[in-house]
């Protein structure tokens, strides 16, 4: 993704959230459970930094996750 595209998305997506979000905010942003939010972080799908006892997630990491193209691998019959 080009920097200009990312900048536009950053201004359009999740405008009411700060640049760094919490796991609880991530849950609301994506509409997922607490369990899935932690799984996405632990699996490296969404980047986070542990500060003290809490995780801080850059909003840009959430935007990258949402806009990233993924291909599902379907099992062969």
């Amino acid at each position: 993704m080009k920097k200009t595209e990312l900048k536009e998305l950053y201004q359009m997506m999740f405008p009411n959230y700060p640049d760094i979000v919490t796991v609880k905010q991530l849950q609301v942003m994506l509409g997922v459970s607490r369990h899935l939010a932690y799984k996405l972080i632990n699996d490296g799908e969404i980047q986070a930094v542990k500060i003290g006892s809490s995780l801080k997630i850059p909003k840009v990491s959430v935007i990258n996750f949402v806009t990233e193209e993924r291909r599902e691998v379907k099992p062969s019959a």
Side-chain angles (χ1 to χ4, degrees), residues 9-75:
L9 285 172
Y10 197 86
Q11 292 171 348
M12 290 175 13
M13 296 180 76
F14 312 116
N16 298 326
Y17 288 91
D19 294 339
I20 305 293
V21 299
T22 64
V23 175
K24 189 169 243 5
Q25 289 170 317
L26 175 66
Q27 288 178 247
V28 176
M29 291 167 85
L30 299 180
V32 298
S33 68
R34 181 174 179 265
H35 176 76
L36 182 54
Y38 279 104
K39 182 173 178 0
L40 290 170
I41 293 167
N42 291 333
D43 291 350
E45 295 284 335
I46 295 178
Q47 295 177 356
V49 177
K50 188 163 188 166
I51 299 177
S53 62
S54 62
L55 288 169
K56 303 297 180 185
I57 304 141
K59 182 167 71 171
V60 69
S61 180
V62 181
I63 292 169
N64 284 335
F65 172 76
V66 170
T67 59
E68 188 177 288
E69 292 181 24
R70 291 180 186 76
R71 276 197 280 174
E72 286 187 36
V73 177
K74 295 182 180 177

